[in-house]
Amino acid sequence: MNSSVHKMDTTPLVDSGYYETATAAIRGEAKRLLASGEVAAVIGYTAGRRKGSAQPVILTDADRADSLVFSPACVNNLALYLTKAKKEVSKQGKLAIVAKGCDLKALAGLMGESQLKRENLHIIGIACAGVHGSGVAPGEPLSAATIARKCRECSVHTPEGTDSVAGELPALEPLTALELAELARLEALTPAERWAFWKEQFSRCIRCMACRQVCPFCYCEQCLCDRNRPQGVETTPRPAGNMGWHIVRAMHLAGRCAGCAECERSCPMDIPLNLLNRKMAAELKELYGHEAGMQPQEKGPLAQYKDDDDQSFIK
Ligand code: SF4
Ligand code: SF4
Ligand code: SF4
């Protein structure tokens, strides 16, 4: 058995041919689907303006399928473009979407919330070795130094239940689970110390709402946190409002968050939002045996009421 990689070295974790094979498979499938009229559009990734970067794209023309790519820069969770609020996308008809394993969990969750129907989607899954963490220069090879923290402990490298799978997963060396270690460190703190930790983290929040805009599950057309008549949560970046916003965010996503970590990646203040997401997910698993996004037609425990629900928290 391989020992875990502890140091942040820059040795490439995969051969560049792996990404080329996945890219070729995505292009071939997209071309076939668009040319036959099986789908109205393909949501995938294309090269960005900076060399080595990538960005989401919606293609409707089979002749442009060769502009699709898969690389370590394909960080976005494209499920974001499929919710009911993005009507300009969903009204086009049946769509194909390129999805990494962690994005698939979001698709499954959105199906459970009646935002999507499986029969309206053609899912091109990716056998995914990993993508870049935030702040990595585009074009850098995937390495222990550049890989996203979520990918260090990924359990969904090989997608299941998709219509096709692009690429072949290479042998992957185990990496140290940094996020899990940080969670364990937080768990070992007293409640007062944990409160102080999060208070300090949230004090940096500038309420830019990037974390909300990038989340596939924050699809309400009117967010409670934007309302001012009556005002639900103070909107200026001050301690009380910041704490209110983060509690609302955590509670609204508990049992729904797919763990794609897009919120954390997009946060300009480096607030470790995925730690909080993971803590909430662990609580839901312990209390209700629930894991978000494992089954497409599952309702989260906080979205339903049962007579025999645990009432012990009411004092
Ligand atoms: S978490 Fe897994 S599926 Fe998601 S990008 Fe990382 S390696 Fe790929
Ligand atoms: S809360 Fe963050 S990690 Fe969870 S689904 Fe939304 S963007 Fe992804
Ligand atoms: S992205 Fe970061 S700074 Fe912006 S609202 Fe969310 S937590 Fe606050």
Side-chain angles (χ1 to χ4, degrees):
M1 193 171 141
N2 288 324
S3 61
S4 294
V5 173
H6 288 283
K7 59 181 193 274
M8 292 295 193
D9 75 29
T10 53
T11 312
L13 293 170
V14 293
D15 194 281
S16 65
Y18 151 74
Y19 287 101
E20 285 159 20
T21 307
T23 295
I26 292 167
R27 289 177 179 177
E29 185 72 342
K31 190 167 281 189
R32 182 186 73 74
L33 290 165
L34 288 170
S36 66
E38 204 175 311
V39 301
V42 176
I43 304 173
Y45 304 96
T46 192
R49 275 183 295 172
R50 284 181 69 191
K51 192 166 186 283
S53 68
Q55 64 187 42
V57 69
I58 300 174
L59 292 184
T60 52
D61 182 354
D63 291 341
R64 289 191 57 213
D66 284 344
S67 64
L68 292 166
V69 297
F70 184 62
S71 74
C74 295
V75 292
N76 310 69
N77 181 350
L78 301 176
L80 177 69
Y81 299 96
L82 288 174
T83 52
K84 278 184 182 167
K86 315 281 185 300
K87 293 188 181 71
E88 68 279 11
V89 176
S90 47
K91 75 180 178 194
Q92 295 196 36
K94 184 168 179 171
L95 299 171
I97 184 166
V98 175
K100 308 182 290 287
C102 50
D103 307 337
L104 277 176
K105 285 193 189 178
L107 291 177
L110 290 170
M111 284 175 209
E113 296 185 12
S114 305
Q115 294 292 311
L116 304 175
K117 287 192 176 144
R118 181 66 182 90
E119 61 267 29
N120 292 339
L121 278 185
H122 182 103
I123 304 174
I124 306 172
I126 298 171
C128 178
V131 295
H132 282 160
S134 51
V136 174
E140 288 286 319
L142 193 74
S143 69
T146 63
I147 196 167
R149 295 203 315 172
K150 65 175 177 177
C151 304
R152 292 178 156 267
E153 44 197 295
C154 174
S155 58
V156 286
H157 288 290
T158 307
E160 285 180 16
T162 59
D163 296 287
S164 63
V165 177
E168 275 181 38
L169 199 64
L172 298 171
E173 196 165 355
L175 299 170
T176 313
L178 300 177
E179 217 167 46
L180 204 62
E182 180 64 357
L183 264 180
R185 187 188 74 76
L186 287 180
E187 287 290 325
L189 299 177
T190 63
E193 289 168 333
R194 273 205 298 276
W195 180 257
F197 171 83
W198 286 113
K199 218 167 137 186
E200 195 280 319
Q201 298 295 331
F202 298 156
S203 71
R204 299 201 308 280
C205 176
I206 55 173
R207 309 293 288 284
C208 66
M209 307 313 250
C211 52
R212 179 187 69 185
Q213 296 311 109
V214 83
C215 178
F217 291 95
C218 279
Y219 53 72
C220 298
E221 290 184 34
Q222 168 76 77
C223 176
L224 164 75
C225 297
D226 288 340
R227 290 183 66 147
N228 57 5
R229 285 188 187 177
Q231 187 174 61
V233 176
E234 188 188 26
T235 50
T236 45
R238 296 197 300 184
N242 282 5
M243 187 57 79
W245 155 236
H246 283 282
I247 290 173
V248 167
R249 198 194 78 86
M251 290 306 294
H252 279 189
L253 290 160
R256 303 168 65 224
C257 166
C260 66
E262 280 289 272
C263 46
E264 181 172 303
R265 181 185 68 81
S266 64
C267 177
M269 303 310 290
D270 288 332
I271 298 172
L273 296 170
N274 208 39
L275 273 186
L276 189 54
N277 299 335
R278 289 191 60 171
K279 170 67 179 154
M280 297 302 282
E283 292 290 328
L284 269 281
K285 187 161 185 197
E286 189 183 325
L287 282 171
Y288 303 102
H290 170 84
E291 276 188 76
M294 302 310 283
Q295 298 292 331
Q297 296 303 330
E298 209 175 71
K299 258 202 183 350
L302 300 192
Q304 55 183 315
Y305 172 78
K306 286 186 186 154
D307 285 342
D308 61 351
D309 276 346
D310 181 13
Q311 309 287 340
S312 62
F313 67 96
I314 304 171
K315 304 283 183 208

